[in-house]
Amino acid sequence: MLELSILGFLREAPLHGYELRKHITALTGHVRPVGESTLYPAIRRLEKAGLLVRETRQGPAAAPRHVLSLTADGERELRRRLAEPEGPDVTDENRWFTLLAFLRHLEDPAAQARVLRRRLAFLEEPASFFHEGERALRAEDLDDPFRRGVLLMARATTEAELTWLRATLADLEAQDGGGGRS
């Protein structure tokens, strides 16, 4: 998801490494902090793959800055990653939020809708964090107030996301001329 974040933020504007790191940290926060030891090797991999370029520009002070920009190949790769997310990109909440933060760069409403439908299908599958034998436990089944809290919060979050997904899918399908499930 780090590489997707790099590509996504550089799609929005050329940035130097420090600015890029601040943007990624603001997106992922405490969940997945990004350090220099992680960010700069990822930048080098993307440069080596021809997905971004580095140029030296004069900074606001005397020191020049290395500014990173997305190449045409980088933009194509960003769109590919957005259109064809891997399974965990749709099922892991933190990875999903990163993908969702840049989904607008996949400009085709039908392609955006396909990605959202994958998330919708995942959320519509019955799930529980806690089981008794083979039976999934509901919040109402639990005496433990903390585990009950986990399930109640997860249910509320899921219901809110389902409402948003369904409304957004309806909007995207309307933009696409009612193109339906392409």
Side-chain angles (χ1 to χ4, degrees):
M1 294 319 309
L2 177 60
E3 289 183 359
L4 178 64
S5 297
I6 293 168
L7 295 171
F9 282 121
L10 292 179
R11 166 64 175 77
E12 295 170 2
L15 299 167
H16 60 80
Y18 177 72
E19 290 173 320
L20 187 56
R21 184 174 169 213
K22 284 188 348 187
H23 283 29
I24 294 169
T25 298
L27 176 64
T28 61
H30 68 282
V31 177
R32 297 221 170 116
V34 61
E36 291 179 14
S37 64
T38 307
L39 177 63
Y40 291 102
I43 288 171
R44 283 192 292 280
R45 280 192 307 275
L46 293 171
E47 276 184 292
K48 189 175 181 179
L51 303 179
L52 55 96
V53 293
R54 178 189 316 245
E55 67 178 293
T56 303
R57 294 185 187 168
Q58 188 61 37
R65 294 182 174 188
H66 299 287
V67 177
L68 303 163
S69 300
L70 207 57
T71 64
D73 285 344
E75 191 156 339
R76 279 190 289 280
E77 178 63 12
L78 172 63
R79 284 193 304 269
R80 185 197 66 75
R81 289 181 187 210
L82 292 170
E84 303 167 12
E86 297 176 8
D89 298 342
V90 174
T91 60
D92 177 87
E93 185 175 87
N94 297 312
R95 291 175 70 155
W96 169 246
F97 285 158
T98 300
L99 178 73
L100 198 55
F102 301 109
L103 196 58
R104 68 188 175 100
H105 298 309
L106 186 60
E107 295 165 356
D108 175 25
Q112 292 170 334
R114 280 191 296 275
V115 174
L116 294 184
R117 275 194 290 281
R118 285 184 56 197
R119 177 70 175 182
L120 180 63
F122 166 71
L123 290 177
E124 287 177 332
E125 287 293 316
S128 179
F129 296 105
F130 308 111
H131 292 81
E132 189 174 271
E134 292 294 313
R135 185 174 73 93
L137 297 175
R138 300 170 304 148
E140 298 77 12
D141 298 330
L142 297 171
D143 292 329
D144 180 336
F146 307 106
R147 287 189 172 191
R148 186 176 335 110
V150 168
L151 292 180
L152 288 172
M153 287 182 270
R155 180 188 307 157
T157 302
T158 298
E159 288 173 5
E161 188 174 354
L162 286 167
T163 299
W164 175 82
L165 280 166
R166 290 177 182 130
T168 303
L169 280 165
D171 290 346
L172 289 172
E173 289 167 359
Q175 288 176 34
D176 195 35
R181 297 180 175 256
S182 49

